[in-house]
Amino acid sequence: MLLTRLKAGGPAIAKQGILVAFILFMIAFSVMSDRFMSADNIMSVFRQSAIIGVIALGVTIVVIGGNLDLSVGSMLSFATVLVVDLHDKIGPELAIPVMVLATLCLGAINGFLIGILRLNSLIVTLGMLSAIQGLVLIYSGGQNVDIVDHSGTWFAIFGRGAVFGIATPIIIFGVMALVFHIIMTTMPFGRKVYAVGGNPTASVFSGIPRSRVVFTTYLISALCVAVAAMILGSRVMGSQNNVGQGYELQVLAAVILGGTSLLGGAGSILKTVLGVLMLAFIQNGLILMGQPYYTQWLVTWVVIIVAVWLDVAAKRGRLFSPIA
């Protein structure tokens, strides 16, 4: 009887299942911990989620365009090490633009290989993940880097500052989310990304420059990583050479949780923001429950699998499909 009802309500459950599961998580964590719904903890979750959130904005646009970007974690390691290392050598005024330019070059390589040469985005960005991590180790010599004078630099404002009591990372994340939402919903570029991701062949016959659109999406993704690196480097005032390891998985989980289809052509910036917060609150609840770090990874993996399943089920119109 339960299976029959699930099959009958497939599309509705698929669309709302993640949200229902999230609400159940929130209720359970609230009952198990008095700190979970406190104002301090909520603001802490918002602040902690800003880095993943900023990267997820760019990845959302890439995925809507019908591709993937698994190199954002290694790219974050590269950008953070670079900006922190150059901070004491040439000052933040030059270190930031140099880091942004170098990160955009990595994004341009992704964009060229995938947008211009039409190579598979999964293979390209998976290869770039390893290549960039090797580049980080070569640059840093395998050593971690630190900013010597923490108190004498305005660089700290990106990760530790606040405006009217609101942490700077939250403001950066919020402003970027609003700008990207406007671009994707009201500007021609946003409509082109949806068209390319939804039906690449039709978009070409419609006169949309597919290669240029895909190339631009990877530049945007790289720019988001550069901004995230400023926040991360500023907050820690240093960087490990593998600091971005695993970020690609969390970012992808947040994007999928927000309802962006891995098949391209569907998704929303604001829903990605919701996905980022959902994932952050779940991980925060697990921490308050005293769960180890690897449990968070396991839960993240389960969340991804469920989200992908619901995404496919929503397109099929039912939760379960018979084996052909």
Side-chain angles (χ1 to χ4, degrees):
M1 180 64 74
L2 177 61
L3 187 61
T4 302
R5 290 181 178 178
L6 284 173
K7 289 180 178 179
I13 294 175
K15 291 179 180 177
Q16 308 299 333
I18 287 292
L19 182 59
V20 172
F22 175 62
I23 293 173
L24 293 176
F25 267 117
M26 295 289 283
I27 294 174
F29 288 139
S30 300
V31 172
M32 290 186 286
S33 173
D34 296 334
R35 293 173 52 199
F36 184 68
M37 291 303 291
S38 66
D40 288 343
N41 188 59
I42 291 175
M43 290 304 294
S44 175
V45 171
F46 274 71
R47 186 170 57 251
Q48 296 292 333
S49 64
I51 294 173
I52 289 178
V54 168
I55 301 174
L57 297 178
V59 173
T60 298
I61 296 177
V62 171
V63 176
I64 290 175
N67 295 292
L68 293 172
D69 191 350
L70 299 179
S71 65
V72 290
S74 294
M75 208 179 291
L76 180 65
S77 297
F78 169 80
T80 308
V81 166
L82 185 62
V83 73
V84 169
D85 181 63
L86 293 180
H87 179 279
D88 287 348
K89 295 178 179 176
I90 60 177
E93 297 84 0
L94 291 177
I96 293 174
V98 169
M99 179 274 292
V100 172
L101 184 60
T103 309
L104 286 176
C105 287
L106 297 177
I109 294 174
N110 277 337
F112 176 78
L113 294 174
I114 299 166
I116 309 299
L117 299 186
R118 309 287 179 88
L119 302 184
N120 184 282
S121 62
L122 175 64
I123 303 301
V124 170
T125 56
L126 195 59
M128 284 291 284
L129 181 152
S130 300
I132 296 174
Q133 190 58 48
L135 183 64
V136 175
L137 292 173
I138 293 172
Y139 179 84
S140 65
Q143 303 297 314
N144 299 331
V145 294
D146 296 294
I147 295 176
V148 176
D149 186 5
H150 292 192
S151 60
T153 175
W154 56 265
F155 184 68
I157 190 173
F158 296 111
R160 302 184 179 191
V163 178
F164 300 116
I166 303 175
T168 310
I170 299 175
I171 296 174
I172 294 174
F173 179 33
V175 171
M176 289 185 65
L178 181 60
V179 171
F180 281 32
H181 171 69
I182 293 173
I183 291 175
M184 293 300 292
T185 55
T186 66
M187 300 185 70
F189 174 75
R191 290 191 288 273
K192 291 178 181 176
V193 174
Y194 279 103
V196 169
N199 193 329
T201 304
S203 67
V204 172
F205 285 111
S206 300
I208 296 175
R210 176 187 176 277
S211 299
R212 193 188 311 166
V213 170
V214 172
F215 182 84
T216 306
T217 61
Y218 280 97
L219 286 183
I220 294 173
S221 179
L223 178 63
C224 290
V225 172
V227 174
M230 285 195 296
I231 298 174
L232 181 58
S234 170
R235 189 178 71 188
V236 182
M237 284 297 173
S239 178
Q240 298 176 345
N241 52 54
N242 63 346
V243 68
Q245 186 176 9
Y247 269 74
E248 60 278 343
L249 182 62
Q250 297 186 58
V251 166
L252 194 58
V255 172
I256 296 171
L257 272 177
T260 299
S261 173
L262 288 176
L263 301 177
S268 163
I269 292 294
L270 295 185
K271 288 183 178 178
T272 288
V273 173
L274 179 61
V276 169
L277 296 178
M278 289 166 63
L279 189 64
F281 274 107
I282 291 173
Q283 292 178 340
N284 176 259
L286 293 173
I287 293 174
L288 292 180
M289 293 300 98
Q291 296 300 317
Y293 186 68
Y294 51 81
T295 302
Q296 298 176 41
W297 277 86
L298 179 61
V299 171
T300 301
W301 177 82
V302 172
V303 167
I304 290 176
I305 296 299
V306 173
V308 171
W309 171 46
L310 293 179
D311 176 48
V312 174
K315 288 179 172 57
R316 290 173 176 163
R318 54 191 176 186
L319 283 173
F320 303 99
S321 295
I323 299 176

